[in-house]
Amino acid sequence: MHELKAETLANWLTEKTNAIKTEITSISQLNGGASMYTWEITASFEGGLLEGTSRLILRSQSDTPLLPSIGIDCEFQLLKFLKSKKFQVPKPVYLDMSGLLTGNPAFIMQKTIGSSKFIGADSKLNILDRKQLTRDIGHQLGKLHKLKIPSNQLRLFKKAGEQSLIDRFYTQLDLLPYSLPVIEWALRWLEKNRPVKRSQSLCHGDFRNGNLLIHRKRLTGIIDWEFAHIGNPLEDIGWFCARCWRFGNDKEEAGGIGHLSDFMESYEITNPRKVNWVELPYWNIVATVKWALIAHRQGLRDSWNSARKLELALTGFKGVQLEHEILKLIKNHERVKI
Amino acid sequence: MKDADKMTKLLAAAKAVLEEDIIPSLPSRKRLSALLVEEALSIALNTTYQLVRQKENETAKNNKVLSNQIRSGVYDTSLDGKITKILSQDVAERLEASTPDFKIHQKFSQYLAK
């Protein structure tokens, strides 16, 4: 069941907020999210903790959550923790673990103003906007990667940290109903060229321009924390900077948004822990392999919504483009070594 | 044709969007053109489906053998040697069939509802 009934939601919110009455004035399901369902809601509260009109986001787990997902409960706790540390993340409000609202665990957060659609090459951002935005992003990621996680919060991420990244990729590859020799070869190469293990940080796990909200040319929010885990900070940076996420704006190496040098400078000012930038090309390859595996998997998924089904089938075809990119990246890497 | 299986799935998904989302909401003067597009998609779908049946077993078998060899370390002494030529050839053929433009521009695209 992936239905959200206005009446059920209104009653639940009335109880949670101690309001006299709640009216749901609009409710619409949003696209996106790897394994979550998302709705945007406008609610008017008479009395209670959220008196007035609030724009809210409801995020619900699907029937088939993806393996590395930390789950709704952990994501809710993590957002609370990050908000308390003044990160630019949506403010989580209420958690429904019973499945009353959507049939699956869900939580409500306040809507963050901003959109991720205005970052591409055709956006109205000028050079100075891009520079500032890149620095904002570098600052937020540096702050995340230097964060000390209290031991009572560490349990949130235990599941993701049990298996090495490459082992997880092998598991995902073996779940596909067909063989992919290029990915097999790339994983072998990644294993043989694995960098020395360095200090670990809290990683977002899906840090790319699609999960960054921009309003009036400034960063307003970082969303979709379901793949957060403890890992190498360069995993996030490699994912953010991988060419496959720049959407044609290739000369802006920092996520298709700005220059890598601006990102690095801002990141390092915030986070004095040493990052070995020489390893970044390796992590760009990791990112491209990861996205290729996701694309192949998405191509096999089904949906009740025909437009979504077509989008998934088209995403499946990105797999071969990413395989092409992997071959090119590894060949370049080998050439530089010589 | 490599990736023919995926191609049939893609064409079927495109046909479903056309039938369920687009055609019902079209004004009657545009409906005929859309029905012709639907018919063209059906022909392409049936033709591709025939190709899938002919070729899928052979390709899948070859890929499995090659993957097993890679995982068992057969190419470890020269991971950037002969094997890359085999893999590059395979990827080039699949790109040529599905998104030949990518070979030229090499730009990753994004779906955005305006």
Side-chain angles (χ1 to χ4, degrees):
Chain A
M1 186 176 91
H2 304 296
E3 212 183 330
L4 181 61
K5 288 189 177 137
E7 194 189 339
T8 314
L9 179 63
N11 292 338
W12 186 76
L13 282 170
T14 301
E15 192 190 314
K16 288 281 176 190
T17 60
N18 288 325
I20 300 162
K21 193 181 160 195
T22 304
E23 191 189 346
I24 307 295
T25 48
S26 74
I27 186 164
S28 58
Q29 190 163 9
L30 305 176
N31 288 330
S35 68
M36 300 276 188
Y37 294 100
T38 312
W39 285 265
E40 185 174 339
I41 296 147
T42 309
S44 293
F45 296 92
E46 199 182 313
L49 299 169
L50 296 177
E51 173 143 35
T53 301
S54 286
R55 292 178 76 185
L56 304 167
I57 296 288
L58 187 144
R59 198 159 150 81
S60 167
Q61 198 169 286
S62 75
D63 293 331
T64 50
L66 294 174
L67 219 54
S69 175
I70 57 173
I72 283 289
D73 181 21
C74 290
E75 191 176 352
F76 180 81
Q77 304 299 340
L78 176 61
L79 282 176
K80 267 172 83 173
F81 172 66
L82 293 171
K83 199 71 196 170
S84 74
K85 299 286 175 191
K86 309 252 182 285
F87 277 88
Q88 287 179 297
V89 296
K91 186 181 176 192
V93 196
Y94 300 115
L95 177 68
D96 167 35
M97 284 306 287
S98 69
L100 174 85
L101 298 176
T102 66
N104 282 315
F107 71 84
I108 295 226
M109 55 189 152
Q110 282 182 340
K111 182 181 161 62
T112 302
I113 297 173
S115 166
S116 59
K117 290 180 184 167
F118 305 109
I119 294 178
D122 57 347
S123 81
K124 291 188 179 110
L125 299 173
N126 64 31
I127 296 173
L128 288 176
D129 299 332
R130 288 183 178 278
K131 194 178 177 73
Q132 185 56 56
L133 197 49
T134 306
R135 295 186 68 85
D136 288 351
I137 295 164
H139 170 73
Q140 284 290 309
L141 197 57
K143 191 174 157 185
L144 178 72
H145 289 165
K146 79 163 183 186
L147 196 62
K148 285 198 172 77
I149 311 292
S151 53
N152 65 338
Q153 299 283 339
L154 265 174
R155 68 176 173 85
L156 300 178
F157 315 105
K158 202 175 165 220
K159 206 166 75 180
E162 279 164 0
Q163 218 182 3
S164 88
L165 189 65
I166 295 171
D167 287 344
R168 262 188 284 149
F169 288 167
Y170 272 118
T171 306
Q172 287 164 20
L173 178 62
D174 290 340
L175 285 173
L176 292 171
Y178 46 78
S179 304
L180 290 170
V182 173
I183 306 296
E184 194 75 56
W185 168 77
L187 290 181
R188 197 77 184 167
W189 185 89
L190 287 172
E191 263 187 314
K192 299 272 169 205
N193 291 274
R194 202 192 297 246
V196 180
K197 202 168 178 182
R198 292 177 197 278
S199 66
Q200 307 266 294
S201 300
L202 173 61
C203 293
H204 178 279
D206 194 8
F207 196 87
R208 59 187 166 86
N209 58 28
N211 283 331
L212 303 175
L213 300 180
I214 313 297
H215 182 64
R216 293 187 178 157
K217 301 172 180 181
R218 297 301 296 268
L219 180 70
T220 53
I222 305 166
I223 57 172
D224 278 6
W225 290 81
E226 71 168 304
F227 301 118
H229 62 275
I230 304 297
N232 188 319
L234 275 164
E235 191 187 327
D236 268 345
I237 303 171
W239 186 243
F240 174 61
C241 294
R243 200 178 76 84
C244 50
W245 291 123
R246 293 183 218 154
F247 303 124
N249 215 10
D250 290 344
K251 65 179 194 316
E252 311 286 13
E253 284 180 294
I257 299 166
H259 295 314
L260 185 60
S261 54
D262 289 323
F263 172 85
M264 285 163 64
E265 195 184 300
S266 174
Y267 181 95
E268 285 188 325
I269 289 170
T270 315
N271 181 9
R273 281 193 206 168
K274 207 95 189 122
V275 168
N276 189 358
W277 298 101
V278 176
E279 290 172 3
L280 184 56
Y282 175 90
W283 290 95
N284 285 156
I285 298 170
V286 170
T288 314
V289 170
K290 179 175 158 182
W291 181 207
L293 278 164
I294 295 171
H296 280 290
R297 197 172 58 222
Q298 295 284 64
L300 295 166
R301 283 178 68 191
D302 209 346
S303 170
W304 54 268
N305 177 313
S306 55
R308 173 75 177 144
K309 201 169 175 170
L310 179 57
E311 192 187 333
L312 288 168
L314 283 167
T315 304
F317 272 93
K318 283 194 190 295
V320 65
Q321 297 175 0
L322 291 156
E323 288 179 42
H324 181 270
E325 180 78 358
I326 291 164
L327 279 157
K328 199 174 80 179
L329 289 172
I330 294 182
K331 276 184 206 166
N332 284 346
H333 203 285
E334 289 295 329
R335 207 169 294 141
V336 172
K337 273 205 298 199
I338 296 164
Chain B
M1 185 191 194
K2 293 181 177 178
D3 286 334
D5 196 21
K6 278 187 187 163
M7 190 64 80
T8 55
K9 205 171 171 186
L10 178 70
L11 289 171
K15 194 166 165 270
V17 170
L18 190 64
E19 287 166 350
E20 293 164 26
D21 287 2
I22 301 174
I23 293 177
S25 59
L26 282 178
S28 52
R29 64 192 166 81
K30 292 277 179 193
R31 198 164 285 195
L32 176 63
S33 306
L35 289 171
L36 292 173
V37 174
E38 186 199 10
E39 181 65 18
L41 277 176
S42 296
I43 294 168
L45 181 60
N46 291 336
T47 312
T48 320
Y49 186 74
Q50 298 304 323
L51 285 167
V52 175
R53 294 292 150 258
Q54 287 164 20
K55 287 282 180 188
E56 72 176 359
N57 289 342
E58 193 189 331
T59 308
K61 214 163 86 182
N62 290 343
N63 282 345
K64 199 173 168 96
V65 170
L66 188 55
S67 288
N68 286 342
Q69 286 175 336
I70 295 168
R71 197 174 293 196
S72 59
V74 170
Y75 295 98
D76 277 5
T77 49
S78 177
L79 267 178
D80 58 334
K82 186 179 100 182
I83 181 72
T84 61
K85 286 202 178 88
I86 300 168
L87 298 172
S88 300
Q89 175 71 24
D90 173 67
V91 166
E93 282 172 20
R94 286 159 60 211
L95 268 184
E96 192 63 48
S98 61
T99 46
D101 280 358
F102 185 84
K103 272 176 84 177
I104 304 160
H105 306 299
Q106 306 212 5
K107 286 196 171 178
F108 289 97
S109 58
Q110 183 183 25
Y111 311 121
L112 278 183
K114 295 276 179 192

